C-alpha cells in the first residue's frame, strides 16, 4: 500500500480548520487503497490553530504536526513539510480550502502513470480581485521571459510530487525562497492538471500585497540576473545619449560661442542621471543583500514541538 503525504502549511487558520479536517478525513476514508498522512506545519499562528491541530492528532493517528518556534513564512513551512514527508508521494495544499482536496485522487492517477510533478493550473480563481489576477499573471510571464528555467504559468503550490522530486527539493536550502520557481528548477517529468479554484472556505487571506511583492522580488532575483543586465543596458544608453549631447554642445560652442542659458535642461539631465544611478544601485543592493543573507548560513527554521519521530527526519534546527 502506497503512502501519500499531504502537507498543509497553516498560519492563523483556526476558523477554517474544522472544515479542512472534515474534508481530509472524508478524502482518506473514501480512498482506502492508499495510506494517508496529514502533515500540518504551524507557521507561528497567533490564534488557536495549533490547539485544533493537536486535537485532531489526538483522535486520528494519520494527523502529524510540526510547530515552528515562530513565523518563518509559508515557503519555509512547505520545505519543512517536505523534510518530514517520507511517503511515496507528497501533495502540497493550502489550509484555506481554495484548492479542493477532493481533486487529489485525480492527481494520483496521473502520478501513477509515471509523472513526477502533477501541478494544478487554475482555470478560474473565485474570490480574488481583478487586480490580483492581473498582477499574478503579469509576474509569471515576466519571470518566464527573464529566466532560462521553464516557469509554469497560472499555477500555485497545489501539486503532487513524486518521491524523487521531494528528495531533490530537500537539497535546495537557500534562504530567499520562491517555491513556485524552485518546483520548476528541479525539473523531472511534469504534467498540468486544470481545475477551478474556490474562494476561501472561511477567514481572510494571510497573503497581503506586501508579502506578494516580496515573494515576486525573491523569485526574480533568485532565478535571473536580468535586472542587472537591464541596469547595464540603461547605463549604456544614457552614456551614449550623453556623448551625443556633449558633441552637440562642443559644436554649438565653437560655431556660436558660449551660451549661458540652459539651466532647466541641465538640472533635468542631472536629476535623470541621478535617478538612473540610484535605481542601478538599488538593484545591485538587492542581489548583495541576498548574498549577505546566504553567507550567514543560519538554520531555515526551528521546531518548538512535533509528533513526528522518525530516524531519517532532519534535526529541529535545519
Amino acid at each position: 500500500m502506497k503512502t501519500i503525504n499531504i502537507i498543509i502549511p497553516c498560519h492563523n487558520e483556526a476558523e477554517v480548520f474544522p472544515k479542512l479536517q472534515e474534508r481530509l478525513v472524508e478524502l482518506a476514508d473514501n480512498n482506502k487503497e492508499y495510506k494517508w498522512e496529514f502533515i500540518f506545519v504551524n507557521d507561528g499562528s497567533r490564534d488557536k490553530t495549533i490547539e485544533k491541530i493537536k486535537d485532531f492528532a489526538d483522535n486520528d493517528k494519520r494527523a502529524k504536526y510540526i510547530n515552528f518556534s515562530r513565523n518563518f513564512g509559508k515557503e519555509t513551512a512547505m520545505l519543512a513539510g517536505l523534510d518530514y514527508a517520507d511517503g511515496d508521494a507528497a501533495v502540497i495544499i493550502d489550509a484555506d480550502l481554495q484548492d479542493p482536496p477532493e481533486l487529489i485522487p485525480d492527481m494520483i492517477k496521473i502520478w501513477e502513470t509515471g509523472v513526477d510533478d502533477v501541478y494544478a493550473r487554475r482555470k478560474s480563481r473565485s474570490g480574488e480581485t481583478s487586480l490580483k489576477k492581473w498582477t499574478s499573471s503579469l509576474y509569471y510571464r515576466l519571470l518566464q521571459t527573464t529566466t532560462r528555467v521553464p516557469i509554469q504559468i497560472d499555477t500555485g503550490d497545489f501539486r503532487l510530487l513524486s518521491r524523487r522530486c521531494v528528495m531533490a527539493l530537500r537539497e535546495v536550502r537557500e534562504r530567499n525562497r520562491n517555491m513556485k520557481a524552485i518546483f520548476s528548477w528541479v525539473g523531472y517529468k511534469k504534467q498540468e492538471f486544470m481545475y477551478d479554484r474556490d474562494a476561501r472556505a472561511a477567514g481572510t487571506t494571510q497573503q497581503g500585497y506586501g508579502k506578494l511583492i516580496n515573494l515576486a522580488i525573491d523569485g526574480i532575483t533568485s532565478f535571473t540576473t536580468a535586472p542587472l543586465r537591464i541596469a547595464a543596458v540603461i547605463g549604456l544608453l544614457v552614456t551614449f545619449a550623453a556623448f551625443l549631447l556633449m558633441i552637440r554642445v562642443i559644436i554649438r560652442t565653437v560655431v556660436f560661442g558660449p551660451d549661458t542659458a540652459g539651466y532647466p535642461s541641465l538640472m533635468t539631465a542631472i536629476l535623470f542621471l541621478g535617478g538612473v544611478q540610484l535605481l542601478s544601485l538599488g538593484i545591485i543592493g538587492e542581489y548583495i543583500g541576498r548574498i549577505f543573507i546566504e553567507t550567514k548560513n543560519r538554520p531555515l527554521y526551528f521546531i518548538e514541538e512535533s509528533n513526528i519521530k522518525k530516524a531519517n527526519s532532519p534535526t529541529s534546527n535545519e
Side-chain angles (χ1 to χ4, degrees):
M1 184 180 292
K2 296 181 179 179
T3 300
I4 308 296
N5 301 124
I6 301 183
I7 301 168
I8 311 107
C10 300
H11 180 67
N12 296 336
E13 302 290 357
E15 189 175 349
V16 75
F17 194 85
K19 295 180 181 179
L20 172 65
Q21 177 180 337
E22 179 184 347
R23 291 172 67 173
L24 289 176
V25 169
E26 183 179 357
L27 167 69
D29 291 344
N30 292 338
N31 297 273
K32 293 185 177 181
E33 64 271 27
Y34 295 97
K35 181 180 178 182
W36 299 87
E37 185 175 88
F38 314 126
I39 302 178
F40 298 94
V41 184
N42 182 46
D43 185 25
S45 297
R46 296 184 299 273
D47 59 5
K48 295 184 178 181
T49 297
I50 187 59
E51 287 82 358
K52 291 183 178 294
I53 293 174
K54 288 181 178 179
D55 289 341
F56 184 18
D58 290 339
N59 295 290
D60 194 324
K61 293 182 179 180
R62 296 171 295 189
K64 309 296 181 182
Y65 65 86
I66 301 166
N67 186 28
F68 279 173
S69 62
R70 66 168 179 83
N71 177 259
F72 287 95
K74 182 185 176 184
E75 308 298 302
T76 302
M78 286 189 283
L79 175 64
L82 292 171
D83 283 341
Y84 283 81
D86 291 329
D88 298 281
V91 178
I92 300 176
I93 189 170
D94 290 344
D96 55 18
L97 293 175
Q98 287 188 281
D99 305 319
E102 294 78 12
L103 297 178
I104 294 177
D106 295 327
M107 301 170 76
I108 292 176
K109 291 179 182 178
I110 299 175
W111 164 66
E112 291 281 19
T113 64
V115 177
D116 292 293
D117 183 350
V118 184
Y119 61 92
R121 184 174 179 180
R122 306 151 180 162
K123 289 190 295 184
S124 63
R125 305 174 67 172
S126 301
E128 296 185 6
T129 63
S130 299
L131 176 61
K132 186 173 182 180
K133 294 177 184 177
W134 179 77
T135 53
S136 176
S137 176
L138 179 64
Y139 163 69
Y140 280 114
R141 282 159 178 78
L142 176 63
L143 188 60
Q144 190 178 51
T145 56
T146 57
T147 180
R148 296 179 181 178
V149 178
I151 304 295
Q152 285 77 46
I153 297 177
D154 299 328
T155 63
D157 301 313
F158 185 32
R159 62 185 63 221
L160 183 147
L161 303 165
S162 68
R163 180 66 184 166
R164 68 172 179 171
C165 233
V166 171
M167 296 304 294
L169 289 166
R170 287 184 182 181
E171 297 294 321
V172 185
R173 313 301 294 185
E174 59 195 55
R175 270 69 186 163
N176 296 292
R177 308 186 64 81
N178 185 304
M179 291 297 290
K180 297 174 184 63
I182 293 175
F183 290 138
S184 300
W185 182 82
V186 298
Y188 297 114
K189 187 176 181 180
K190 303 180 184 295
Q191 184 173 326
E192 71 177 20
F193 176 82
M194 302 296 293
Y195 79 113
D196 296 306
R197 197 172 199 223
D198 298 332
R200 284 184 62 94
T204 57
T205 180
Q206 306 296 322
Q207 294 285 341
Y209 281 105
K211 291 183 178 180
L212 294 176
I213 291 173
N214 288 334
L215 184 62
I217 293 174
D218 286 339
I220 292 173
T221 55
S222 296
F223 288 89
T224 177
T225 58
L228 291 174
R229 294 181 180 178
I230 292 172
V233 171
I234 292 175
L236 181 63
L237 293 176
V238 170
T239 301
F240 180 70
F243 177 76
L244 294 179
L245 180 61
M246 180 184 68
I247 298 299
R248 178 180 178 275
V249 170
I250 292 174
I251 295 175
R252 181 184 177 88
T253 302
V254 171
V255 175
F256 299 103
D259 187 2
T260 57
Y263 176 79
S265 60
L266 178 64
M267 288 301 300
T268 301
I270 292 174
L271 292 174
F272 174 72
L273 291 173
V276 171
Q277 291 175 339
L278 290 175
L279 175 62
S280 301
L281 286 174
I283 293 173
I284 295 171
E286 285 289 336
Y287 282 92
I288 293 176
R290 278 152 177 74
I291 295 171
F292 172 67
I293 292 173
E294 293 295 332
T295 56
K296 290 181 179 180
N297 199 29
R298 290 177 177 174
L300 291 177
Y301 58 85
F302 285 98
I303 297 174
E304 182 175 332
E305 57 180 331
S306 174
N307 68 343
I308 307 177
K309 300 184 183 299
K310 297 180 181 178
N312 60 341
S313 294
T315 58
S316 63
N317 64 348
E318 280 292 323

